[in-house]
């Protein structure tokens, strides 16, 4: 640590560190993998030296910086397998790593594979000393140059990969909205777009494999059940989408980034795991989400909204908008629209009809432009979420969650989550177990199904099903989500089946 210790955490990592977590950085986190802040020299390629200004001076207990043959001189972000780095307009935009015999190099021939090995070793240390930990891994790829072991190129045939979408710039787009990034021009062999696309896919699979190795080690060490895993990317990428290359714009392809959160079952019920949320979120929401998952208070100055309600139920509402900015380009994304502002002028795109910007329709929708423009520069807020305490204010009989005020065998809390009147015995949750013909879903003609109705805008609870073949010794089995019917006003009917049937099956609803 260096400098004056701040009264408030400088980051969510610092929040964890202050509360007893041991924090470790590996790779490209705040940008530079050695944790120091660099100026932006014109060459940016080589001759680098260690800077003296720490980027996050109060966040890390330990920064693991050991990338062997690349060191700081060539900078591992641009690493080629022979230990060199990028030389502008000379080194290629991609490399399929092979040895002298033409065989694929191992994963650790590049920095990301080495980060993975270091992460696995660090997890073993944490297991041995039983410490709470925050292990932050910043993988470099799929950043340019698109370098990976040849084995990952061999996963794909270049001619079979999906092409760009959309293929041209949106009609009517304001000047400056759709521009090529100059980044790709720093490399040779960058004009073969099919080869670039092939290399990009290879790099994505290379990183998928590294993430898988780390998760496998979490499982092997028995750390998975009480470890939160968050995977996210800082931006998207265009490979001839809109007819451009790169990330430096505010279109959907550049801003839509991966965000996957795996949390313990008490927050993310097994029945909903793997379900993609549809609500609008931002990467600034990661801070308050991690804080809540770890039982910590988010500092008041922090923007963003906790995503825990959406982890509990992926159909819970997201935020009203997400705001993004790049240079003089700013944008607001809602569930259905993207508004882009360039030097005081606006474009509007309908993303409910097609997932990417196709045609500016701001002239036909002035009211939408007017409403969305008021959110420029805002962080956005989650929509219409309520708490039990607010719901219970309508009657003193409802204040006790565990009480059954109308004596219908359902507690007040259960009726709150399922949207029924907890003061009327005639209003009972819509819960059904039945045998149904599911051949239309590709299953059997007589399968056991559970269906129930629940509200998804409850910020402090969830209803989720669990299944077992043994009633006395409950062993939860995987369930298959068959159908979700939206009933309006945040009410949904959920329909599940057992993933494999025995002679008998049991369901129960889980309330939290």
């Amino acid at each position: 640590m260096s400098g004056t210790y701040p009264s408030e955490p400088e980051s969510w990592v610092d929040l964890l560190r202050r509360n007893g977590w041991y924090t470790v950085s590996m790779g490209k986190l705040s940008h530079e993998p050695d944790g120091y802040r660099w100026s932006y020299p014109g060459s940016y390629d080589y001759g680098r030296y260690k800077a003296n200004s720490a980027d996050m001076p109060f966040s890390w207990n330990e920064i693991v910086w050991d990338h062997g043959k690349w060191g700081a001189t060539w900078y591992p972000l641009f690493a080629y397998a022979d230990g060199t780095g990028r030389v502008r307009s000379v080194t290629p935009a991609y490399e399929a790593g092979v040895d002298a015999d033409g065989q694929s190099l191992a994963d650790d021939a590049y920095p990301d594979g080495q980060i993975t090995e270091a992460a696995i070793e660090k997890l073993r240390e944490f297991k041995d000393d039983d410490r709470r930990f925050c292990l932050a891994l910043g993988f470099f790829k799929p950043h340019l140059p698109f370098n990976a072991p040849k084995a990952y190129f061999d996963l794909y045939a270049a001619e079979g990969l999906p092409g760009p979408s959309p293929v041209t710039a949106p009609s009517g787009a304001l000047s400056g909205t759709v521009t090529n990034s100059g980044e790709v021009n720093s490399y040779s062999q960058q004009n073969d777009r099919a080869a670039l696309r092939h290399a990009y896919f290879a790099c994505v699979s290379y990183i998928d494999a590294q993430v898988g190795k780390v998760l496998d080690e979490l499982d092997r060490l028995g750390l998975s059940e009480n470890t939160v895993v968050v995977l996210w990317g800082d931006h998207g990428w265009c490979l001839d989408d809109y007819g451009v290359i790169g990330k430096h714009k505010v279109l959907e392809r550049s801003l839509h980034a991966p965000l996957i959160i795996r949390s313990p079952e008490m927050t993310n019920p097994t029945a909903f795991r793997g379900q993609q949320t549809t609500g609008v979120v931002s990467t600034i929401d990661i801070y308050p989400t991690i804080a809540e998952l770890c039982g910590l208070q988010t500092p008041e100055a922090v923007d963003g909204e906790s995503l825990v309600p959406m982890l509990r139920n992926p159909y819970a509402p997201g935020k009203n908008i997400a705001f993004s900015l790049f240079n003089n380009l700013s944008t607001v994304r809602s569930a259905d629209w993207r508004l882009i502002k360039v030097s005081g002028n606006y474009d509007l795109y309908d993303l409910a009809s097609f997932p990417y910007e196709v045609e500016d329709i701001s002239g036909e929708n002035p009211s939408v432009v007017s409403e969305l423009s008021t959110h420029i520069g805002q962080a956005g807020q989650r929509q219409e979420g309520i708490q039990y305490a607010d719901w219970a204010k309508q009657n003193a009989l409802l204040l006790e969650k565990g009480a059954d005020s109308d004596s219908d065998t359902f507690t007040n809390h259960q009726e709150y989550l399922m949207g029924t009147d907890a003061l009327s015995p005639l209003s009972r949750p819509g819960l059904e177990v039945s045998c149904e013909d599911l051949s239309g879903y590709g299953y059997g003609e007589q399968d056991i199904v559970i269906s129930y109705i629940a509200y998804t805008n409850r910020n402090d609870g969830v209803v989720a099903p669990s299944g077992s073949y043994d009633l006395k010794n409950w062993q939860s089995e995987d369930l298959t989500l068959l159908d979700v019917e939206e009933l309006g006003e945040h009410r949904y009917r959920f329909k599940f089946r057992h993933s494999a049937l025995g002679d008998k099956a049991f369901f129960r609803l889980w309330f939290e």
Side-chain angles (χ1 to χ4, degrees):
M1 295 183 190
S2 61
T4 304
Y5 195 64
S7 59
E8 292 290 329
E10 69 175 0
S11 65
W12 60 262
V13 181
D14 188 23
L15 177 70
L16 293 178
R17 191 194 55 76
R18 291 174 184 228
N19 286 277
W21 274 259
Y22 188 83
T23 61
V24 179
S25 165
M26 294 184 182
K28 184 176 181 284
L29 268 304
S30 56
H31 196 275
E32 310 303 332
D34 60 358
Y36 287 87
R37 185 177 304 131
W38 298 85
S39 60
Y40 195 155
S43 63
Y44 203 73
D45 299 315
Y46 49 84
R48 297 164 65 82
Y49 58 94
K50 187 174 181 179
N52 296 316
S53 179
D55 227 357
M56 296 168 61
F58 307 105
S59 293
W60 307 111
N61 292 108
E62 183 180 355
I63 296 176
V64 177
W65 164 248
D66 182 13
H67 297 306
K69 57 190 178 185
W70 297 284
T73 303
W74 287 106
Y75 190 28
L77 176 61
F78 308 122
Y80 295 85
D82 63 359
T84 61
R86 183 181 72 183
V87 178
R88 288 182 180 273
S89 304
V90 175
T91 47
Y94 56 90
E95 175 183 83
V98 295
D99 62 19
D101 297 321
Q103 300 302 307
S104 177
L105 293 171
D107 286 5
D108 63 359
Y110 293 97
D112 288 317
Q114 296 180 12
I115 290 173
T116 300
E117 291 184 353
I120 289 172
E121 184 60 35
K122 185 59 67 175
L123 287 175
R124 292 170 182 169
E125 292 178 20
F126 289 137
K127 174 67 174 179
D128 290 341
D129 60 25
D130 199 30
R131 277 187 294 188
R132 288 186 297 180
F133 65 87
C134 168
L135 179 58
L137 307 180
F139 291 116
F140 296 105
K141 299 307 166 193
H143 196 287
L144 278 166
F146 301 147
N147 299 344
K150 181 178 179 292
Y152 296 98
F153 284 75
D154 293 343
L155 295 175
Y156 305 101
E159 62 275 10
L161 294 173
S165 177
V167 296
T168 60
S171 63
L174 289 166
S175 176
T177 301
V178 186
T179 57
N180 277 297
S181 167
E183 191 171 6
V184 73
N185 298 326
S186 298
Y187 300 90
S188 65
Q189 300 180 17
Q190 41 93 352
N191 291 320
D192 187 341
R193 299 303 193 228
L196 277 183
R197 184 173 294 275
H198 187 188
Y200 185 86
F201 273 70
C203 286
V204 170
S205 293
Y206 173 48
I207 297 305
D208 281 348
Q210 308 318 302
V211 173
K213 289 178 183 180
V214 176
L215 295 180
D216 285 346
E217 188 66 15
L218 270 179
D219 291 340
R220 194 190 70 78
L221 295 172
L223 297 173
S224 294
E225 293 305 313
N226 63 350
T227 299
V228 175
V229 178
V230 183
L231 184 151
W232 80 93
D234 54 349
H235 54 77
W237 187 264
C238 297
L239 263 177
D240 278 344
D241 308 290
Y242 313 105
V244 299
I245 297 288
K247 64 194 177 191
H248 300 118
K249 51 199 66 68
V250 292
L251 296 164
E252 188 75 6
R253 282 289 193 183
S254 295
L255 295 176
H256 190 186
L259 177 57
I260 302 172
I261 302 175
R262 189 181 80 179
S263 59
E265 186 171 356
M266 65 180 182
T267 307
N268 183 201
T270 301
F272 288 128
R273 286 190 176 176
Q275 295 295 318
Q276 184 173 341
T277 62
T278 58
V280 173
V281 302
S282 302
T283 49
I284 59 172
D285 301 326
I286 294 172
Y287 189 145
T289 302
I290 289 176
E292 182 172 352
L293 289 173
C294 293
L296 303 175
Q297 184 68 39
T298 303
E300 288 187 9
V302 172
D303 287 326
E305 301 268 347
S306 173
L307 302 176
V308 168
M310 301 176 79
L311 295 179
R312 290 194 176 111
N313 190 316
Y315 297 90
K319 297 164 72 170
N320 59 337
I321 60 98
F323 170 72
S324 300
L325 174 71
F326 177 74
N327 288 344
N328 69 326
L329 305 171
S330 54
T331 183
V332 169
R333 172 71 153 95
S334 70
D336 297 330
W337 304 95
R338 178 175 297 287
L339 182 76
I340 295 178
K341 180 182 179 181
V342 185
S343 303
N345 298 307
Y346 295 98
D347 277 348
L348 180 69
Y349 298 99
D350 174 9
L351 300 188
S353 301
F354 188 73
Y356 304 107
E357 298 86 351
V358 174
E359 179 186 13
D360 167 42
I361 52 173
S362 56
E364 299 94 311
N365 298 274
S367 61
V368 178
V369 173
S370 177
E371 194 279 324
L372 288 179
S373 66
T374 64
H375 297 290
I376 294 285
Q378 296 181 1
Q381 296 180 328
R382 287 197 68 248
Q383 300 170 292
E384 302 183 47
I386 66 171
Q387 304 284 125
Y388 183 89
D390 296 326
W391 176 83
K393 286 179 181 178
Q394 59 183 296
N395 194 298
L397 293 174
L398 302 177
L399 295 179
E400 186 179 342
K401 282 187 174 184
D404 179 9
S405 297
D406 58 0
S407 302
D408 66 352
T409 73
F410 289 93
T411 68
N412 295 341
H413 184 240
Q414 290 169 344
E415 299 215 44
Y416 156 73
L417 294 175
M418 301 187 80
T420 49
D421 186 351
L423 299 177
S424 170
L426 299 179
S427 177
R428 298 170 61 85
L431 171 66
E432 297 180 0
V433 177
S434 59
C435 285
E436 297 187 23
D437 180 355
L438 298 183
S439 56
Y441 292 91
Y443 301 114
E445 294 184 359
Q446 285 296 308
D447 278 355
I448 301 177
V449 172
I450 184 173
S451 64
Y452 63 93
I453 295 173
Y455 270 70
T456 61
N457 66 337
R458 297 343 193 195
N459 276 354
D460 54 351
V462 66
V463 182
S466 176
S468 176
Y469 300 122
D470 187 336
L471 185 59
K472 292 183 178 179
N473 301 302
W474 195 272
Q475 298 290 328
S476 292
E477 305 287 340
D478 288 340
L479 300 178
T480 302
L481 180 59
L482 295 170
D483 189 39
V484 180
E485 179 185 1
E486 186 173 0
L487 304 176
E489 300 298 322
H490 302 291
R491 294 173 71 242
Y492 289 81
R493 184 187 301 277
F494 298 94
K495 187 175 180 179
F496 288 86
R497 73 175 284 275
H498 271 287
S499 59
L501 288 174
D503 295 333
K504 53 188 175 182
F506 303 93
F507 287 102
R508 64 169 56 152
L509 283 185
W510 184 83
F511 297 88
E512 190 272 323

